[in-house]
Amino acid sequence: MLSLTRPLSVRPRFAPKPLSLQTSRRLPLLIYQASSKPMAKGKKSYWLLKTEPNEWSWDDQRANGGVSQWDGVRNRQAVNNLKSMRPGDLCFFYHSGSGAASRRIVGVVRVTKPWYLIGDGDIDGAVDVKEIGELQKHVELKEIKKAAEKEAELKGFALIKQPRLSVVPVSEWVWEQLCEMGGGFSEGNELADAKEE
């Protein structure tokens, strides 16, 4: 487990930095329903954020009020995806790793602060995200690939087509399918399984 007190200079490359919360507020219960309509401009977008669980796990994300700075992304396409994020966008929290059994969607976070520069340079940046809830059933990559054999839109999902990309856009339809596969996600002791309006 990543120590939250380690100095920044020795923090693993892709591990987000925890942020302190001055206030704690309960976020509204999220409800997800299936729809194949495309996203309209100005509406919420959906993403998938990958992390190595031995560098930054779901348990690490939940610590410190569930808020972290998502940084350390170097790939130009992934950086552009981070720059496209807006407050309120939802992201799957995905454990990547060397073993197939570790590759899975484990939870959901919400973007709380859009892209901003960090450090002295004009290249490194981050977005802030907050834990929303853990999926009732973690969705393994092999399950997603199996479902993609039957669904063309899942077959085109960037997680499958570009497996090394660490920040992946998710269409609304794919988001809803993956939420359904995971049985929704819990927020506290309540279950959210339909789309927030």
Side-chain angles (χ1 to χ4, degrees), residues 136-194:
Q136 294 298 304
K137 175 188 169 293
H138 296 176
V139 181
E140 296 182 13
L141 178 60
K142 64 182 177 184
E143 294 175 71
I144 298 169
K145 287 181 175 180
K146 185 173 181 178
E149 294 172 5
K150 300 174 187 171
E151 296 286 350
E153 192 164 349
L154 271 175
K155 192 177 286 187
F157 181 30
L159 177 65
I160 296 170
K161 291 190 70 102
Q162 295 178 283
R164 297 187 54 84
L165 191 60
S166 63
V167 180
V168 176
V170 180
S171 73
E172 185 175 16
W173 186 87
V174 169
W175 176 271
E176 292 163 356
Q177 296 306 305
L178 295 175
C179 280
E180 185 177 318
M181 289 171 70
F185 52 92
S186 62
E187 185 179 359
N189 292 328
E190 300 177 48
L191 175 65
D193 63 359

